[in-house]
Amino acid sequence: MADKIIYLDNNATTKVDEKVLEEMLPYFKEEYANPSSMYDFSKNSSRAIREARGKIKDLLNAANEKEIIFTSCGSESANTAIRGVLNYDKSKKHIITTKIEHPCVLNVYKMLEKQGYKVDYIGVNANGELNLDELSHAITDETALVSVMWANNETGVLNPIEEISQIIKSKNKETKFFVDAVQVAGKIPIDVQKAGIDMLGVSGHKFHAPKGIGALYINSKTMITPLIIGGHQERGKRAGTENTPYIVGIGKAAELAIDNLEYEMTEVKRLRDKLEKNILQNIYNARLNTGLANRVPNTTNIGFEYIEGELILLHLSDLGICASSGSACTSGSLEPSHVLRAMNVPFTSIHGSIRWSLSRFTTEDEIDYVIGELPKIIDEITSISPYQNELKALKEMRMVK
Ligand code: PLP
């Protein structure tokens, strides 16, 4: 294993901030009381949970902290919102979503289709931007729910959530709107009131809290049937003794996300842009898969034409550099991701697509190191590609430009 790690896979998960860990520790040790108990000993843990709820409320600009419930992850937040709202009111059977949602959303809709729901999957253009006309035309009186992710995890492309909410409400005021905001928390400002969102999910481990904690915003006008039934915790919307240390952790992470938002939108973006610009300038078979689409500040998805992404990742890994490819290993074959396929990324670059995702802990030295090493790696892999004629033609074309 390489002696240093350059972690550029922050859309997969992030490092826990030291300040988050510090804040959590007392709730494993001294403050272990069940927050729902009656005695004084539980007062500190119940207060800590109240404060954490307030911090998530601030991160999302919710009207009231009663609108926030804690879950175990982004997947649970999405499941609770989608299944919860449809189980509460079963009168309408039409749902609209997108082709590029995370599996924790898409697979719920696949299940609901089997239960008799009709689901429309809205497509995207070559840059990964949603077709809003298609979405608008799909809304009918029967539409119970629209669910659109705020930013895509593979490309970082942002969907115009406020505009989508206006389209929905202009067509059917009763339709509920769920937003998977897992990839935007801590990267861009979130304002659930301004954006007209009914339900929104986030996941702690994507913004420097530990894995195993998430949050869900449900506005006061939206009713759900809970997914987990039992005690009265989380105002009856999610049973189970509260995970005090992790709730404290996501609360602290939310506070730090607000404090670091400006840095994320300027400095993290500057480093992302530096990496992207250098790759595109210095590697002739590199292609920016999202074109000029509006993206979160930390992500770039670049295809390396006529070579395999997995091979690039293995070479990077030898140097301690962590990134992701656009493929998912399904049933032994390397299938390109559903997101890149929905964008019709050309076959020449879909298999060689790499997602680079930075965080506030990414340094300039790390980016410079990648910029220095990557061209050598790509050269080596390109030299053994079976597509030498195509690569030669591509090189001549790009050099002429
Ligand atoms: N939604 C998006 C856009 C994601 O990127 C992820 C995780 O990668 C999830 C949902 C699921 O979050 P979790 O891993 O916390 O269940």
Side-chain angles (χ1 to χ4, degrees), residues 156-349:
V157 173
L158 287 160
N159 288 314
I161 292 300
E162 198 173 332
E163 194 181 339
I164 293 170
S165 157
Q166 281 161 5
I167 293 173
I168 299 167
K169 303 296 171 197
S170 73
K171 290 242 156 170
N172 184 345
K173 284 201 166 44
E174 282 167 26
T175 301
K176 293 296 179 187
F177 186 27
F178 169 65
V179 175
D180 172 355
V182 165
Q183 291 294 346
V184 293
K187 298 176 188 167
I188 60 162
I190 301 178
D191 186 333
V192 286
Q193 298 181 76
K194 185 160 171 275
I197 294 166
D198 296 310
M199 300 177 290
L200 174 143
V202 296
S203 174
H205 74 104
K206 310 286 186 179
F207 61 103
H208 308 290
K211 296 154 199 54
I213 184 73
L216 173 62
Y217 161 80
I218 308 173
N219 75 12
S220 53
K221 292 186 224 104
T222 302
M223 299 300 152
I224 64 155
T225 298
L227 207 61
I228 303 178
I229 295 165
H232 57 271
Q233 295 91 350
E234 301 300 309
R235 292 174 202 282
K237 295 196 173 96
R238 200 267 189 181
T241 300
E242 298 88 339
N243 186 354
T244 315
Y246 280 65
I247 291 173
V248 168
I250 198 173
K252 184 67 184 177
E255 181 192 316
L256 293 169
I258 297 170
D259 293 348
N260 287 293
L261 192 56
E262 188 60 31
Y263 182 88
E264 192 86 27
M265 291 171 68
T266 53
E267 193 56 15
V268 175
K269 179 176 185 301
R270 184 184 71 76
L271 291 178
R272 188 274 311 267
D273 289 349
K274 180 176 182 181
L275 175 70
E276 179 176 289
K277 194 167 148 233
N278 270 275
I279 294 176
L280 295 173
Q281 268 174 3
N282 299 331
I283 301 177
Y284 74 89
N285 56 336
R287 171 188 186 276
L288 183 60
N289 281 330
T290 51
L292 294 174
N294 191 18
R295 290 169 296 161
V296 280
N298 79 319
T299 310
T300 182
N301 192 306
I302 296 176
F304 296 92
E305 297 189 70
Y306 299 107
I307 60 177
E308 286 294 337
E310 277 60 38
L311 212 48
I312 304 172
L313 292 184
L314 289 178
H315 279 68
L316 289 171
S317 175
D318 287 343
L319 300 176
I321 302 168
C322 308
S324 266
S325 78
S327 303
C329 231
T330 42
S331 54
S333 71
L334 287 172
E335 268 280 294
S337 85
H338 68 289
V339 176
L340 299 182
R341 273 184 287 145
M343 291 161 68
N344 282 321
V345 171
F347 91 97
T348 51
S349 83

Side-chain angles (χ1 to χ4, degrees), residues 11-13 72-78 100-105 149-154 180-184 201-206 211-214 355:
N11 286 9
T13 196
S72 66
C73 58
S75 303
E76 189 191 323
S77 295
I100 57 163
E101 297 297 302
H102 188 270
C104 76
V105 167
M149 65 191 341
W150 202 319
N152 182 267
N153 43 304
E154 292 186 36
D180 172 355
V182 165
Q183 291 294 346
V184 293
V202 296
S203 174
H205 74 104
K206 310 286 186 179
K211 296 154 199 54
I213 184 73
R355 173 187 75 185

Side-chain angles (χ1 to χ4, degrees), residues 17 20 207-208 253 256-257 260 263-264 268 358-363:
D17 192 307
V20 168
F207 61 103
H208 308 290
L256 293 169
N260 287 293
Y263 182 88
E264 192 86 27
V268 175
L358 288 65
S359 82
R360 62 176 185 257
F361 295 108
T362 306
T363 66

